[in-house]
Amino acid sequence: QVQLQESGPGLVKPSETLSLTCTVSGGPIHGYHWSWIRQPPGKGLEWIGYIYYNGITNYNPSLKSRVTMSVDTSKNQFSLSLSSVSAADTAVYYCAKIGTGSNNWFDPWGQGTPVTVSS
Amino acid sequence: DIQMTQSPSSVSASVGDRVTITCRASQGISTWLAWYQQKPGKVPKLLIYSASSLQSGVPSRFSGSGSGTDFTLTISSLQPEDFATYYCQQANSFPLTFGGGTKVEIK
């Protein structure tokens, strides 16, 4: 079955750019929507955005000015960049697959990667 | 944005109890709703989609109902492994949004 794994630095300095990659295994990245979701410590879940395998994106307006997503189908990977980070961006970042068609729920999820923004 | 409001924010219950969690959307979302379970330090797990469809492998003691703006997640007989936080998520429109979570604790 499809499995996802996040990777990237666990510590980012304020005002810098957070960059994460999600590697998809057990299935193709082609034909599906892929999402990033984050969860600050002790808090709830926030959808960051999605990228389609062909590069079409949809970002949460609350983060849109700072978010860029990209996809590399040859590597079965997609990536997240979040610029000008602050302590408020400290969170566990998850990648997840979105259901097909209008089934916009998340399954499966990656294991999550914690990111701390601190100098 | 569609706001999702869950209640209660926490509930204390005993093994064998019936537990009901509610989720209210700020506008109608038909049955475009999912429920997730998250145990401490673990990844959220999809339990129910389309408001009432059980994800493969999820025990039948979990059920979902509702449409429009009001939804419920019911655990018919709480088991030790069900102590967790539960989130609803609307899948009707972007941005996709989650409820604040309901923590089910041991009484």
Side-chain angles (χ1 to χ4, degrees):
Chain A
Q1 69 279 20
V2 172
Q3 293 184 309
L4 296 86
Q5 180 66 59
E6 306 88 350
S7 59
L11 181 64
V12 182
K13 290 183 167 56
S15 79
E16 295 190 346
T17 296
L18 176 162
S19 296
L20 299 174
T21 295
C22 183
T23 301
V24 180
S25 59
I29 204 167
H30 185 93
Y32 297 99
H33 293 80
W34 305 91
S35 223
W36 290 95
I37 299 149
R38 69 180 184 178
Q39 184 172 35
K43 296 189 177 180
L45 299 161
E46 179 180 30
W47 177 70
I48 299 171
Y50 77 62
I51 185 163
Y52 195 38
Y53 76 98
N54 62 4
I56 292 174
T57 56
N58 188 331
Y59 302 143
N60 192 323
S62 67
L63 297 167
K64 188 174 184 177
S65 64
R66 300 193 290 129
V67 170
T68 303
M69 295 183 186
S70 60
V71 61
D72 186 337
T73 54
S74 67
K75 295 181 178 179
N76 244 32
Q77 293 178 334
F78 61 102
S79 298
L80 167 71
S81 291
L82 181 66
S83 64
S84 304
V85 297
S86 70
D89 296 309
T90 294
V92 175
Y93 285 76
Y94 297 99
C95 57
K97 181 183 175 187
I98 295 182
T100 55
S102 297
N103 299 322
N104 297 317
W105 25 82
F106 307 104
D107 183 68
W109 298 54
Q111 286 301 302
T113 188
V115 177
T116 299
V117 177
S118 175
S119 56
Chain B
D1 299 7
I2 297 176
Q3 308 302 316
M4 306 301 293
T5 304
Q6 286 183 235
S7 61
S9 57
S10 67
V11 57
S12 294
S14 301
V15 172
D17 284 353
R18 181 182 183 90
V19 173
T20 298
I21 298 168
T22 64
C23 178
R24 175 164 289 176
S26 60
Q27 63 190 75
I29 58 170
S30 184
T31 56
W32 295 109
L33 185 99
W35 290 97
Y36 301 86
Q37 176 194 64
Q38 186 178 34
K39 297 180 181 180
K42 300 297 185 183
V43 180
K45 172 187 173 183
L46 178 66
L47 295 178
I48 287 170
Y49 60 93
S50 295
S52 61
S53 296
L54 205 63
Q55 176 71 340
S56 176
V58 174
S60 59
R61 62 181 179 273
F62 290 94
S63 64
S65 65
S67 67
T69 60
D70 295 315
F71 302 86
T72 60
L73 172 69
T74 300
I75 309 171
S76 60
S77 177
L78 197 66
Q79 297 302 299
E81 60 267 31
D82 301 336
F83 291 97
T85 299
Y86 294 84
Y87 294 94
C88 62
Q89 176 237 324
Q90 66 83 14
N92 180 76
S93 62
F94 294 95
L96 304 176
T97 49
F98 293 86
T102 295
K103 187 174 184 179
V104 177
E105 300 175 297
I106 301 172
K107 192 171 187 178

